[in-house]
Amino acid sequence: MYKAMVRGKIVEGRVLLQGNSTEIQFEHPADWLLLNAGGHGFYRCNYSEEELEILTKDLSNNLAPIERFNLLSDLWASAQSGALPLKTFFAQSLKYKDETDKNVWTTLTGILTYLDRLVGKDHRTSFKEYVRELVMPALNKIGMKAKKNSAISPAQEALTDQLRGMLFSAAGALGE
């Protein structure tokens, strides 16, 4: 499946990959294109830096949580393989600082924990600052304390509580 922005409207469709390449045609040029929309495919997508800038411009409004999760996972896999510069991964990951989906943050905190083991003492201060810059906006958005809110279900409230704990842990342990 794919999702694209064409003339200000989201367009979705399916395409069967046959051979080495497949071309997707639109009536008008697409502003951006997301492959594996809905997260149903078992493959990785690799985007150029220019495509990523356009695709992630309005991340939370254009992509569903599963799509943000998959995009982040693809970005990290591309960075690990060397297909995406690590500095691009860091820049793109900062676009998730307002993220409030627990599953997306599970991936993010896993990446941060992995990176924490690799960062040398020469870059430790910069890494901690990056972690705080990434984590604190999300923590401030959901609030430092649980609030009783009748507008959300007990299940959603429990997920928010779990996310809050995850963010506190990342901010404290990794961001000091």
Side-chain angles (χ1 to χ4, degrees):
M1 289 191 61
Y2 64 84
K3 181 188 268 189
M5 177 71 72
V6 179
R7 288 195 154 183
K9 293 185 181 177
I10 299 284
V11 176
E12 297 179 297
R14 294 178 186 270
V15 65
L16 179 61
L17 302 175
Q18 297 178 350
N20 292 333
S21 66
T22 299
E23 194 169 309
I24 301 171
Q25 298 285 327
F26 299 104
E27 285 185 37
H28 303 282
D31 296 328
W32 54 258
L33 174 67
L34 175 75
L35 300 171
N36 197 16
H40 303 292
F42 296 98
Y43 50 87
R44 293 283 184 195
C45 299
N46 188 18
Y47 300 93
S48 71
E49 291 185 48
E50 297 80 21
E51 290 167 330
L52 282 171
E53 280 305 313
I54 295 166
L55 178 60
T56 59
K57 192 173 185 176
D58 196 6
L59 193 63
S60 61
N61 288 324
N62 290 331
L63 305 183
I66 186 67
E67 294 165 344
R68 297 191 303 271
F69 172 92
N70 280 341
L71 179 60
L72 179 65
S73 182
D74 287 347
L75 289 172
W76 178 237
S78 293
Q80 286 181 299
S81 74
L84 183 74
L86 198 53
K87 70 176 188 161
T88 302
F89 172 80
F90 283 122
Q92 287 296 319
S93 67
L94 287 173
K95 295 182 179 183
Y96 286 82
K97 61 186 173 185
D98 290 323
E99 180 64 55
T100 57
D101 184 82
K102 180 185 175 262
N103 294 318
V104 175
W105 271 105
T106 298
T107 298
L108 270 169
T109 56
I111 293 167
L112 293 174
T113 301
Y114 177 80
L115 287 169
D116 183 59
R117 290 186 226 139
L118 298 178
V119 173
K121 60 182 172 183
D122 293 347
H123 301 286
R124 179 83 24 212
T125 300
S126 296
F127 178 71
K128 290 175 185 176
E129 289 170 0
Y130 157 76
V131 170
R132 289 190 300 267
E133 185 179 351
L134 177 62
V135 173
M136 292 310 296
L139 188 54
N140 288 328
K141 187 173 182 176
I142 65 168
M144 299 287 182
K145 293 182 181 181
K147 301 172 196 150
K148 293 296 176 193
N149 184 348
S150 60
I152 63 172
S153 69
Q156 183 60 44
E157 195 170 314
L159 286 174
T160 302
D161 288 343
Q162 292 169 17
L163 174 59
R164 184 177 294 105
M166 191 181 302
L167 294 172
F168 265 118
S169 178
L174 303 174
E176 288 189 354

